[in-house]
Amino acid sequence: MDNRRMRELEEMCIQEDPPFCQAACPLGMDGRGLCSDLAAGTVDKARAKVEEGLPLPLLLCRICDEPCRTACPKGRSGDAISMALLERYSLENGKAPRKRPSFLSPRTDRIALVGSGLAAMAALESLRAKRYLPQVYIPDGDLAAQLREDKRLPRDLLDETLERLLEGLNVVTESPSLEELSEFGGVVIADESPLRYPGPTDDVTFATEVTGLFSLPLPSGSPSTEARRGLEAVLSLERHLQGASLESGRTKKTDRNTRLKAPEDDTPSKATVPRGETYSSEEATAEAARCLLCQCLICHPWCLYLQEYGGSPRKYIRTYHNNLIINKGNRTANRMIDSCTLCGLCAEVCPTGLDVGQASLESRRKMVETGHMPPSHHDYPLRDMASALEETDFLLDPTGGSPEWLFFPGCQLGASEPRWVSESYRYLTDRLESVALWVSCCGAPARWGGREALYMDVMDLWIERWEGLGRPKVVTACSTCHGLLKERLPEGTAVTLWETMDKLGLPEEGDVSAETVTVSDPCTARDDRTAQEAVRNLLRRRGLALEEHPRSGRTTECCGFGGLVFSANPDLAKRSATRRVQEAGHPMVVSCAMCRELYSRTGHPTWHILELLLSPEGKAPSPKPFPGWSARRENRKRLKADMTSGTVPKEPSESLVMDEKLRQNLDDRWIIEEEILKVIEEAQSGGPRLRRKDSDVYLAYSVLSERTLWVEYSPEGDRWRIHDSYSHRMTIQEVTR
Ligand code: SF4
Ligand code: SF4
Ligand code: SF4
């Protein structure tokens, strides 16, 4: 992910866009922050925000025209938030922020301010804050002239303000001539005096054709706009004095926009009306609490991963990028990058369609490319993929090379239960002419792990073999395989087993009676409405009453297997599965073998759809428990042997004895029995082993691909008792003394 791509993705996340009130306020007042502070009772912080956000705050909060109210979504069906009243409450009740003493002397630039009114006063306040001492021309004699007619502004407040603004300045109560003004290094004209610059002025900078002369347009009638104009004129004048660009980074305030979407489901409410002139503490809190704190984090409640690491996806993308470009120091976000299931749910719910999963995947590819992908994150799934491609891959083609149909169930279905593959194949051969069966892996673990080149090799080989079979139509039983194959096969070539069964008829007739079941769609089928409907049709036809999972169809979630999170962040994967089963009202039915495994592992009764479709009429069978990773590997071998009339291999579990706790513990760490047996067999036939003193317990190791696996064992009859096993990535170097 390069800088350009990062910015492109970051820009898609609107979480940092301003709330509606702030976008509408010419001064950009942080209304959301103000409400949040007041609702939390932190009035001092609220006051600091108002003082920072508004010029002449004590005046403005009394007379502001509140354009924020027009934009506030609370106003759509009830009352918008009373922002000006909240500002005033904060100013009158919060402690004044401590001012840092300034030891800097005033600036010596010769500048002038001409005019009166709110814009002139705001400009003067800003100039003084920047340590300028302008010459002030007030042609009508009163800087606050127009404001005196407004009864909302107490006379003493105006007088105090003027005294503060004009203190120590040279004030002339006459109109200056243009010649006189030409002697100044910079001038702001802010009223309707005859001096108003007659030529064109810039809408944003108020620059005139005379360098250093900035002239404001006729008063707008909007106090907030006037105050804003005063500030913009001062910014122009300052840039002019510094020789900086007047335009850089500036847009017309009214152009500032927000891409936020107003919430649909807000409860209308009435504004809190103050009993007196201003709010009491309770009234201010009540009014502030009505604020929706508008921001976009729509994706958060949907995704445990986004909740896990906190902050907006914008922050995630920045973190991914920083993690990739770091030269020195630790890459602390590696696990974070590998903990996204790549499920695409965020893109589905996000108003701009931002797919954090895509950013995570691109980052993984970069990590692999630059050698920074921690090998442990995806070690087991990649080993498992290699085993599925090399040891248990088989093709059964009764047509001798030109089948019309190819059943490709993937590698996980037979690992869960070999019978689901063999019986589905029998079902297809009973109903279709010339069907071949190919059990293998589509390469998804390589793709999810960021090993795109490896994935492309697997997929290219797949396509080559499919072409060698005469390009048959493909029936899939795994939504991940289905999605990946559809990327490469001509349209309409791949169909799911569920659509096929829905068309050709149920494998077994009659009802399987079960209580209501919750249907859960796999995340890789979120876009596949046809497959989702076929699953539901089939279940109904078997007499089952269905309930939808609260998050189903396009907004279904991942079980924790996707993106290899079950391996990179097992704890998060378990919590994802647990949250999902807890939200299901009933035992679940799924059409993905890995969803079934991960939900079953939580203890929640979960059927694979084939468990129900292939059962004879009658009571539904009890859902199978999770078989364990070792047994899944054995299941694949058994399937291959059964289907190809090969010898059914002896299962490692027949040769090993260990207590259930240890078996579970090893399985959880993907130390599988087949590999344990391999280490023992090597040691027993002359490989390295150590013997514990005065016992028959041996410690042996073997280097299996990139890991060293250690096994502590002792003989027990004609089997081996396993005391412990562990693995690491250090290389053991044998030294001969
Ligand atoms: S839904 Fe999430 S990713 Fe999309 S804009 Fe909102 S915060 Fe950003
Ligand atoms: S609800 Fe609150 S944050 Fe949203 S626009 Fe209104 S005042 Fe601003
Ligand atoms: S792809 Fe899925 S897991 Fe990743 S951030 Fe989006 S919703 Fe969350």
Side-chain angles (χ1 to χ4, degrees):
M1 191 172 21
D2 58 18
N3 274 332
R4 191 195 49 79
R5 176 71 176 144
M6 181 203 64
R7 271 199 295 276
E8 185 182 296
L9 291 170
E10 219 186 23
E11 197 39 40
M12 281 182 78
C13 179
I14 60 177
Q15 199 272 335
E16 289 175 16
D17 276 30
F20 304 98
C21 51
Q22 190 173 15
C25 172
L27 294 152
M29 174 64 205
D30 177 11
R32 177 180 62 197
L34 177 70
C35 290
S36 162
D37 288 341
L38 290 177
T42 50
V43 189
D44 298 349
K45 277 170 79 182
R47 174 173 173 162
K49 277 200 180 73
V50 179
E51 294 202 348
E52 197 186 306
L54 303 184
L56 306 166
L58 280 168
L59 302 186
L60 205 53
C61 71
R62 286 171 161 83
I63 57 171
C64 186
D65 48 320
E66 293 182 288
C68 55
R69 293 182 70 118
T70 320
C72 174
K74 292 294 300 177
R76 284 188 314 191
S77 51
D79 287 331
I81 299 294
S82 313
M83 198 61 75
L85 275 171
L86 291 175
E87 287 162 359
R88 182 165 168 192
Y89 170 80
S90 310
L91 291 168
E92 291 175 352
N93 295 278
K95 214 189 300 149
R98 190 195 290 245
K99 286 217 167 42
R100 285 213 194 128
S102 169
F103 302 103
L104 300 170
S105 354
R107 296 180 194 273
T108 51
D109 308 77
R110 276 209 79 213
I111 57 168
L113 172 75
V114 185
S116 61
L118 204 55
M121 288 169 74
L124 187 52
E125 186 183 58
S126 171
L127 286 169
R128 301 225 55 174
K130 294 169 193 278
R131 296 183 289 113
Y132 289 104
L133 296 175
Q135 162 94 32
V136 183
Y137 293 93
I138 310 174
D140 55 14
D142 183 2
L143 187 60
Q146 300 87 336
L147 299 178
R148 296 214 185 262
E149 290 152 28
D150 195 323
K151 296 285 172 280
R152 293 169 297 174
L153 291 174
R155 176 163 288 271
D156 52 351
L157 177 62
L158 276 177
D159 291 341
E160 275 165 32
T161 310
L162 295 188
E163 198 181 320
R164 175 171 61 83
L165 293 178
L166 295 172
E167 189 191 355
L169 297 183
N170 193 16
V171 180
V172 179
T173 53
E174 284 170 9
S175 271
S177 66
L178 279 173
E179 287 75 24
E180 223 175 321
L181 288 180
S182 66
E183 287 170 18
F184 290 93
V187 177
V188 172
I189 300 178
D191 81 346
E192 298 172 62
S193 77
L195 269 175
R196 172 169 304 289
Y197 185 72
T201 55
D202 186 272
D203 277 357
V204 176
T205 65
F206 305 124
T208 64
E209 289 158 321
V210 179
T211 310
L213 180 69
F214 302 94
S215 180
L216 300 189
L218 283 171
S220 60
S222 151
S224 52
T225 304
E226 286 307 293
R228 171 82 200 170
R229 286 176 174 176
L231 300 185
E232 289 294 341
V234 170
L235 179 61
S236 298
L237 181 126
E238 193 177 31
R239 287 193 180 186
H240 160 70
L241 294 175
Q242 293 166 351
S245 153
L246 294 183
E247 291 84 17
S248 170
R250 294 171 81 177
T251 52
K252 216 171 154 184
K253 198 69 185 173
T254 46
D255 291 346
R256 191 157 65 124
N257 226 326
T258 182
R259 294 169 293 169
L260 296 186
K261 303 275 176 285
E264 301 286 333
D265 53 353
D266 177 44
T267 322
S269 61
K270 288 274 165 216
T272 313
V273 180
R275 276 187 299 270
E277 192 189 344
T278 60
Y279 277 146
S280 66
S281 157
E282 294 73 33
E283 287 165 347
T285 311
E287 181 63 3
R290 291 198 311 121
C291 170
L292 301 167
L293 304 178
C294 302
Q295 66 165 334
C296 184
L297 267 183
I298 292 175
C299 50
H300 258 230
W302 292 94
C303 171
L304 272 191
Y305 166 61
L306 292 175
Q307 291 168 31
E308 178 83 354
Y309 293 94
S312 72
R314 204 180 168 97
K315 187 197 100 181
Y316 277 60
I317 288 161
R318 255 178 250 151
T319 309
Y320 292 178
H321 184 253
N322 292 341
N323 197 70
L324 295 177
I325 59 171
I326 190 170
N327 274 331
K328 286 187 179 163
N330 294 332
R331 289 170 194 270
T332 50
N334 286 348
R335 189 171 304 279
M336 179 195 188
I337 293 173
D338 285 339
S339 294
C340 166
T341 62
L342 315 180
C343 69
L345 177 55
C346 47
E348 203 57 53
V349 297
C350 170
T352 68
L354 174 57
D355 188 346
V356 181
Q358 187 57 34
S360 162
L361 184 59
E362 286 174 29
S363 305
R364 292 180 199 188
R365 288 179 187 153
K366 193 78 190 165
M367 284 157 77
V368 171
E369 203 181 289
T370 53
H372 291 114
M373 173 63 84
S376 59
H377 286 190
H378 304 138
D379 175 73
Y380 176 72
L382 291 173
R383 280 191 281 132
D384 196 50
M385 180 181 89
S387 158
L389 286 167
E390 289 159 16
E391 294 168 349
T392 50
D393 171 291
F394 69 91
L395 174 71
L396 200 66
D397 179 14
T399 70
S402 54
E404 254 181 68
W405 294 89
L406 174 66
F407 179 38
F408 185 77
C411 60
Q412 302 296 4
L413 190 65
S416 292
E417 171 56 66
R419 196 173 64 85
W420 295 342
V421 172
S422 53
E423 291 191 19
S424 301
Y425 180 52
R426 191 167 316 123
Y427 165 90
L428 290 171
T429 50
D430 285 351
R431 288 161 179 82
L432 296 170
E433 288 293 313
S434 77
V435 191
L437 167 69
W438 180 12
V439 175
S440 191
C441 176
C442 64
R447 169 161 273 195
W448 286 342
R451 283 143 174 100
E452 191 63 11
L454 176 61
Y455 166 70
M456 290 310 287
D457 285 349
V458 174
M459 193 39 93
D460 286 348
L461 207 63
W462 195 101
I463 296 290
E464 203 178 300
R465 285 177 82 179
W466 169 75
E467 282 177 341
L469 289 171
R471 302 162 67 94
K473 282 195 161 193
V474 182
V475 179
T476 60
C478 163
S479 51
T480 304
C481 299
H482 189 77
L484 293 177
L485 290 175
K486 269 174 77 176
E487 282 179 17
R488 292 291 295 268
L489 295 175
E491 205 178 326
T493 307
V495 286
T496 62
L497 182 60
W498 329 124
E499 292 162 72
T500 313
M501 283 182 164
D502 197 25
K503 243 184 236 148
L504 300 179
L506 290 167
E508 294 286 339
E509 290 304 329
D511 289 356
V512 280
S513 54
E515 47 189 304
T516 307
V517 292
T518 302
V519 190
S520 169
D521 300 306
C523 62
T524 42
R526 86 169 68 258
D527 297 329
D528 196 342
R529 191 69 209 137
T530 318
Q532 291 167 11
E533 268 167 17
V535 165
R536 286 158 177 75
N537 287 345
L538 289 167
L539 291 170
R540 277 193 209 100
R541 285 164 71 184
R542 286 242 74 186
L544 292 154
L546 309 185
E547 183 210 58
E548 287 296 325
H549 191 281
R551 302 167 201 247
S552 62
R554 293 199 75 89
T555 53
T556 191
E557 297 160 295
C558 178
C559 60
F561 182 71
L564 310 183
V565 176
F566 80 103
S567 155
N569 192 338
D571 177 57
L572 181 62
K574 268 188 193 144
R575 279 185 282 130
S576 304
T578 305
R579 178 169 92 153
R580 191 146 175 91
V581 300
Q582 280 170 348
E583 286 180 352
H586 302 280
M588 295 213 290
V589 186
V590 295
S591 57
C592 162
M594 291 320 296
C595 286
R596 201 209 74 87
E597 305 294 51
L598 268 65
Y599 296 144
S600 297
R601 214 163 48 142
T602 67
H604 190 84
T606 307
W607 284 287
H608 189 278
I609 181 172
L610 286 171
E611 263 176 297
L612 298 171
L613 297 183
L614 297 171
S615 295
E617 182 175 10
K619 193 168 160 22
S622 302
K624 274 163 48 69
F626 173 59
W629 303 106
S630 284
R632 297 186 88 255
R633 189 69 69 83
E634 296 317 308
N635 281 344
R636 279 200 200 120
K637 286 190 191 155
R638 198 143 33 88
L639 172 66
K640 179 174 180 176
D642 283 349
M643 299 301 286
T644 57
S645 314
T647 324
V648 179
K650 193 177 167 196
E651 292 192 9
S653 54
E654 291 173 29
S655 308
L656 305 176
V657 193
M658 64 183 110
D659 68 41
E660 197 40 45
K661 200 165 157 216
L662 178 62
R663 186 186 300 277
Q664 187 64 53
N665 186 298
L666 297 182
D667 206 64
D668 282 349
R669 288 183 287 136
W670 303 291
I671 295 180
I672 62 169
E673 293 176 7
E674 178 190 79
E675 291 174 343
I676 293 177
L677 192 57
K678 206 182 245 175
V679 174
I680 298 175
E681 283 170 354
E682 264 184 42
Q684 289 305 111
S685 46
R689 64 175 187 172
L690 298 168
R691 184 172 165 190
R692 193 182 287 164
K693 202 172 169 199
D694 303 328
S695 82
D696 58 357
V697 177
Y698 294 95
L699 177 64
Y701 74 85
S702 183
V703 180
L704 306 172
S705 74
E706 289 173 15
R707 306 147 52 235
T708 304
L709 181 65
W710 294 81
V711 180
E712 247 181 271
Y713 68 97
S714 57
E716 188 166 302
D718 59 353
R719 302 205 286 172
W720 305 106
R721 164 143 313 260
I722 307 303
H723 301 282
D724 203 357
S725 178
Y726 35 87
S727 68
H728 58 69
R729 292 180 171 277
M730 284 185 292
T731 315
I732 306 292
Q733 204 167 359
E734 290 178 35
V735 181
T736 316
R737 286 175 193 270

